[in-house]
Amino acid sequence: MRSRFSAFALGLPEYLLLTWHPRTRPASLELDPQQRWTRLDVLSTRSGGPFDSRGTVAFRAWWRSADERGTLEETSEFVREHGRWSYVDGTVV
């Protein structure tokens, strides 16, 4: 989760696609260069430990642009396959 937030903050769509599960991954991803992601608060986690194959992360991410500020609150689902975690999907709260 934190590495994906960092990819948003640094404007790295390639990394986001690489860490997205193939079943739900879009063909391409374009990030808004005017939107800056500035803070991540992990609100809760469920599973996702060393012996789990699934995990859930609830978070709030803070962003700003030239004339706006806001937050995104989401509960994200991840799966681990072949030792690697992938983002499956999320529900915006």
Side-chain angles (χ1 to χ4, degrees):
M1 176 68 236
R2 292 185 193 281
S3 70
R4 286 180 56 82
F5 173 80
S6 295
F8 274 105
L10 295 170
L12 302 172
E14 304 84 12
Y15 181 81
L16 294 166
L17 291 170
L18 182 67
T19 59
W20 210 312
H21 194 275
R23 181 170 42 89
T24 57
R25 178 176 49 224
S28 64
L29 181 64
E30 189 171 323
L31 302 178
D32 181 351
Q34 302 303 313
Q35 191 172 43
R36 293 193 54 218
W37 294 92
T38 60
R39 175 176 158 186
L40 174 67
D41 293 335
V42 173
L43 305 174
S44 67
T45 60
R46 189 174 69 240
S47 301
F51 302 108
D52 295 320
S53 60
R54 296 191 166 276
T56 303
V57 178
F59 70 90
R60 182 178 300 123
W62 303 79
W63 60 269
R64 66 180 177 180
S65 65
D67 55 354
E68 289 184 89
R69 292 174 186 231
T71 60
L72 168 68
E73 197 166 325
E74 180 178 303
T75 300
S76 297
E77 300 291 331
F78 293 85
V79 296
R80 179 173 30 209
E81 295 174 338
H82 311 291
R84 197 169 151 198
W85 287 102
S86 296
Y87 171 80
V88 176
D89 63 13
T91 303
V92 176
V93 179

